[in-house]
Amino acid sequence: MVGYDPKAKSESPTPEEAALAGSAGGMVTRALISPFDVIKIRFQCTSHADQQVLSPQLQIERVSSRRREGKYWGIIQASRSIYSEEGLSAFWKGHIPAQLLSMCFGAVQFVSFEFLTKMVHKSTPYDSQTPGAHFVCGGLAACSATVACQPLDTLRTRFAAQGEPKVYSNLRYAVSTMWRTEGPVAFYRGLSPTLVAVFPYAGLQFFFYNVFKQLLAPPPKSRDSGGNMRSLICGSGAGMISKTLTYPFDLFKKRLQVGGFENARSHFGQVRTYTGLID
């Protein structure tokens, strides 16, 4: 995640090495945080509390433990509800498209970031290791990865949002059904808010990672570089700040992505649809 560094003692990674690093990092991270991601999506795109059958409707009620209007109103309560109704495996719903998404996104983003920072260093008077260069290059790298991987993101969201009975039984059925009933444009639902959000999100993530890395840099004469723990702290802090600042657009994206299969769930109760980002 450091990008091209002309001062580095070792050679910069090749595109293949950058792609492998991005894919591996995304794969491991996705496996670990999948339960939290499923809960997040359920809060964003889930059903009403008064329905007898869990269906992937949009939760328009507030998420509050004091005024329990929606089906889910707290992390612990949502975890217990999902576990009791759907089993432990529900926390990894849509894991296959999610893993494909993480690996694809990480590979494209890392390769693009390495390429862009190298181009900045060689084609412009700017230093490729400054936070500003990382912000711009990180944002552009994430945009390219988003366009390439948006269909997988849409599929992952729909699998995580659906409850029981399932609308999509497997990945192949989901792809064929969406293509047949909604057309190819369905795979790019929510692309506009994603692109609006992903540039500042990824840009800020790379920006703050660079800033934290410099703040936590060991003394010049120190033999201890901080290693993986330093990277973990910098990456976690950068991700937390950037996600918080751009979270509303993630909510908009999820609301648009679960649209399109309303007919399959209209008998469960109220369904809300959106015509686009502004709506």
Side-chain angles (χ1 to χ4, degrees):
M1 257 181 95
V2 296
Y4 179 75
D5 187 359
K7 300 177 183 178
K9 297 180 180 180
S10 59
E11 295 183 2
S12 59
T14 64
E16 292 78 12
E17 291 173 335
L20 180 61
S23 297
M27 180 177 65
V28 174
T29 302
R30 175 63 63 181
L32 294 175
I33 60 92
S34 181
F36 296 103
D37 199 35
V38 169
I39 293 173
K40 182 198 73 169
I41 293 175
R42 290 298 180 89
F43 277 126
Q44 293 174 329
C45 323
T46 188
S47 62
H48 296 299
D50 59 351
Q51 301 300 319
Q52 297 299 316
V53 183
L54 178 62
S55 61
Q57 299 178 51
L58 305 182
Q59 176 160 306
I60 58 179
E61 301 87 355
R62 72 183 69 189
V63 178
S64 173
S65 59
R66 295 183 178 181
R67 299 185 61 181
R68 301 176 179 180
E69 300 173 356
K71 180 176 180 62
Y72 305 128
W73 57 82
I75 295 178
I76 296 178
Q77 179 271 335
S79 301
R80 290 175 176 173
S81 179
I82 294 172
Y83 177 76
S84 62
E85 295 175 355
E86 305 168 57
L88 184 63
S89 62
F91 293 101
W92 281 268
K93 276 192 172 182
H95 192 59
I96 293 178
Q99 279 290 13
L100 294 175
L101 168 64
S102 295
M103 294 171 65
C104 175
F105 193 96
V108 176
Q109 185 181 34
F110 270 55
V111 171
S112 300
F113 185 70
E114 191 72 23
F115 169 79
L116 290 169
T117 51
K118 188 174 184 178
M119 186 175 67
V120 166
H121 173 73
K122 294 187 174 182
S123 305
T124 71
Y126 298 102
D127 183 356
S128 62
Q129 283 295 296
T130 61
H134 276 208
F135 175 83
V136 176
C137 293
L140 292 175
C143 286
S144 62
T146 295
V147 174
C149 306
Q150 182 68 12
L152 291 171
D153 192 13
T154 300
L155 287 166
R156 187 278 182 281
T157 298
R158 291 200 177 191
F159 272 102
Q162 72 175 354
E164 301 293 342
K166 295 179 180 178
V167 178
Y168 303 131
S169 56
N170 54 58
L171 182 59
R172 181 178 179 180
Y173 177 74
V175 172
S176 61
T177 301
M178 290 173 62
W179 184 278
R180 185 179 66 256
T181 60
E182 304 173 54
V185 70
F187 297 98
Y188 287 89
R189 287 181 180 272
L191 180 60
S192 54
T194 305
L195 289 176
V196 171
V198 77
F199 185 94
Y201 167 67
L204 289 170
Q205 189 174 29
F206 281 98
F207 174 88
F208 283 112
Y209 182 85
N210 184 285
V211 171
F212 291 151
K213 186 181 66 173
Q214 294 180 14
L215 290 175
L216 298 178
K221 297 182 180 180
S222 175
R223 295 182 179 180
D224 183 12
S225 63
N228 294 333
M229 182 55 65
R230 178 184 168 212
S231 296
L232 176 63
I233 295 173
C234 294
S236 299
M240 182 174 63
I241 295 174
S242 55
K243 174 62 75 174
T244 301
L245 294 176
T246 60
Y247 187 80
F249 289 98
D250 187 57
L251 176 64
F252 301 153
K253 177 185 73 173
K254 292 296 190 295
R255 291 289 180 97
L256 291 172
Q257 285 179 327
V258 296
F261 59 151
E262 289 83 2
N263 292 335
R265 42 194 186 96
S266 59
H267 61 283
F268 290 129
Q270 179 184 356
V271 178
R272 176 169 292 182
T273 59
Y274 303 95
T275 58
L277 175 59
I278 302 301
D279 184 37

